Amino acid sequence: MYDQLQAIEDRYEELGELLSDPEVIADTKRFMALSKEEANTRETVETYRRYKEVVQGIKDAEEMLAENLDPEMTELAKEELSDLKKEKEVLEGQIKILLLPKDPNDDKNIIMEIRGAAGGDEAALFAGDLFNMYQRYAESQGWKVEVMDANITGIGGYKEVIMMITGDNVFSKLKYESGAHRVQRVPSTESQGRIHTSTATVVVMPEAEEVEVEIDEKDIRTDIYHASGAGGQHVNKTASAVRLTHLPTGIVVAMQDERSQLKNREKAMKVLRARVYDQIQQEARSEYDANRKSAVGTGDRSERIRTYNFPQNRVTDHRIGLTIQKLDQILSGKLDEVIDALIVYDQTSKLEELQNG
């Protein structure tokens, strides 16, 4: 483990030199790639450097104790030794987590799809609540949200909304959100005051670059049609809506948000590429999970992952048994407590798995 850490520190120092090299600075693409690599290793290097300081501090304190100094100095050395040993233990745990194999998609942007599922209008309204929740969370993280397509119901909910979220490490934080989200509340349309249960589904896919998933043009069937608004009326006199069908997988993406056919096709291609890439990854994950129980279910999209109970102001994540009485805050975008708990659970499970061989 320490050879690996030393190699990371050596590379980090090399990156520092490269990033001040005028030739590298002039090559924007290379400079960006090296800057990203440096940023990704910074925390590991800083933790390792502190670890080395603590180990040296323990050695120094033990030498002081061996010298049989006056009682006051001995007491100080004992206290310092105790504190440093505790810190060493904490740092060792942090280092193990930092050295866990990284998900190659963690630093990617995402395409998120939210759909109203069981529950009709109420499910569509809840899909709208989830859309607002993720939008606010993204804003709190300094990320950018672009709505790529939206199918709005007459009462203001969403049958479906597709958005792209761009920023630092978006996938690493939102990858656990895929699945069925359940709401329990009295709908505004309910005259008897009865609690209804509805669901909306969320799919989170890493943005896929062209180099990562090659889609041959001859494998795509393109249909062009008139965009229509709520209620089916035509909102565009020109045929600008685009439907792409990926023949090998049967994946279909329709896009009509833009007035330009070209822009709709560009957006549809982004979503299609993400869905094809996601399908390839899901198949690989299913094969992997057949031999191992997944830590936090990011695989099965039909899995009910979370319940939002309005009467009790309660949110429960069923995968990790987490219950928080702050539904109002969570729906306002304060998702950190839930997301941090999911990350810790996933890391702990992976560590146990490594230790158990």
Side-chain angles (χ1 to χ4, degrees):
M1 182 170 90
Y2 299 107
D3 289 345
Q4 190 182 348
L5 286 163
Q6 192 55 55
I8 292 168
E9 187 182 25
D10 293 345
R11 173 62 179 162
Y12 183 78
E13 284 172 1
E14 184 190 354
L15 286 166
E17 289 169 19
L18 285 167
L19 288 167
S20 58
D21 184 329
E23 274 185 39
V24 173
I25 294 165
D27 183 344
T28 310
K29 202 172 178 183
R30 192 178 175 210
F31 183 79
M32 293 285 285
L34 293 175
S35 297
K36 196 173 182 181
E37 188 186 343
E38 187 200 40
N40 287 342
T41 53
R42 189 175 298 131
E43 190 184 353
T44 306
V45 170
E46 286 173 357
T47 307
Y48 175 50
R49 284 175 175 169
R50 177 59 193 157
Y51 178 80
K52 287 194 288 186
E53 286 171 7
V54 167
V55 168
Q56 185 58 50
I58 288 170
K59 193 179 168 189
D60 294 345
E62 284 174 341
E63 282 174 5
M64 280 177 75
L65 284 171
E67 287 171 14
N68 289 320
L69 303 166
D70 64 80
E72 197 178 330
M73 288 297 287
T74 300
E75 199 53 43
L76 279 171
K78 277 182 182 174
E79 272 181 40
E80 190 183 359
L81 187 61
S82 173
D83 290 343
L84 288 169
K85 281 184 174 176
K86 282 176 193 166
E87 190 180 351
K88 180 174 178 265
E89 208 174 301
V90 170
L91 289 167
E92 281 171 348
Q94 287 174 355
I95 286 167
K96 281 175 187 170
I97 286 168
L98 288 165
L99 290 179
L100 279 174
K102 294 233 177 349
D103 184 330
N105 293 317
D106 271 354
D107 59 353
K108 288 189 176 179
N109 302 323
I110 66 158
I111 288 172
M112 178 182 273
E113 301 180 353
I114 305 170
R115 293 181 182 85
D121 284 344
E122 170 62 8
L125 285 169
F126 179 51
D129 291 337
L130 292 177
F131 168 66
N132 291 329
M133 175 181 82
Y134 291 123
Q135 204 170 22
R136 287 171 186 149
Y137 176 69
E139 284 165 11
S140 75
Q141 300 295 307
W143 299 336
K144 183 185 162 209
V145 176
E146 180 195 357
V147 176
M148 301 183 82
D149 200 34
N151 186 342
I152 302 168
T153 63
I155 58 167
Y158 287 91
K159 282 183 184 172
E160 176 187 57
V161 59
I162 301 172
M163 60 179 162
M164 185 161 186
I165 305 178
T166 54
D168 293 333
N169 302 307
V170 181
F171 187 76
S172 72
K173 292 192 174 179
L174 289 178
K175 63 183 173 182
Y176 306 111
E177 296 304 296
S178 286
H181 295 241
R182 180 174 72 165
V183 64
Q184 294 171 324
R185 65 181 171 191
V186 178
S188 53
T189 52
E190 168 61 60
S191 57
Q192 304 293 318
R194 288 172 301 193
I195 293 170
H196 286 227
T197 298
S198 308
T199 55
T201 60
V202 175
V203 175
V204 175
M205 299 172 290
E207 183 189 13
E209 303 293 333
E210 284 182 51
V211 291
E212 290 170 313
V213 54
E214 203 175 314
I215 296 178
D216 200 315
E217 282 295 327
K218 71 176 190 303
D219 289 336
I220 299 173
R221 188 179 75 231
T222 305
D223 299 306
I224 307 297
Y225 58 100
H226 286 277
S228 62
Q233 76 270 25
H234 289 306
V235 293
N236 205 334
K237 288 177 183 174
T238 58
S240 61
V242 175
R243 185 188 300 110
L244 302 181
T245 305
H246 186 240
L247 301 172
T249 59
I251 292 169
V252 179
V253 178
M255 199 65 65
Q256 62 170 38
D257 210 47
E258 299 284 349
R259 289 184 178 276
S260 149
Q261 186 189 121
L262 184 67
K263 283 185 179 174
N264 279 326
R265 195 178 196 285
E266 279 175 14
K267 282 186 171 183
M269 271 306 294
K270 270 190 179 178
V271 176
L272 181 65
R273 199 176 289 116
R275 284 187 189 169
V276 171
Y277 181 64
D278 185 59
Q279 182 164 310
I280 293 164
Q281 293 214 307
Q282 291 302 313
E283 284 166 3
R285 183 182 289 279
S286 298
E287 199 177 308
Y288 184 52
D289 285 352
N291 304 313
R292 161 196 175 271
K293 194 176 184 305
S294 182
V296 181
T298 54
D300 183 6
R301 296 297 162 78
S302 62
E303 178 191 8
R304 191 187 76 208
I305 63 165
R306 198 174 294 147
T307 295
Y308 303 74
N309 183 295
F310 274 70
Q312 295 172 24
N313 195 38
R314 167 171 57 82
V315 173
T316 300
D317 196 290
H318 304 290
R319 296 163 295 178
I320 58 174
L322 175 74
T323 295
I324 301 172
Q325 308 286 148
K326 298 176 185 173
L327 179 138
D328 51 341
Q329 290 181 37
I330 285 165
L331 284 178
S332 73
K334 292 174 181 167
L335 272 168
D336 286 316
E337 197 172 337
V338 179
I339 286 169
D340 290 348
L342 285 160
I343 291 169
V344 168
Y345 182 86
D346 196 22
Q347 288 173 339
T348 307
S349 302
K350 284 173 180 166
L351 268 176
E352 283 173 6
E353 199 176 280
L354 277 176
Q355 284 159 2
N356 297 333

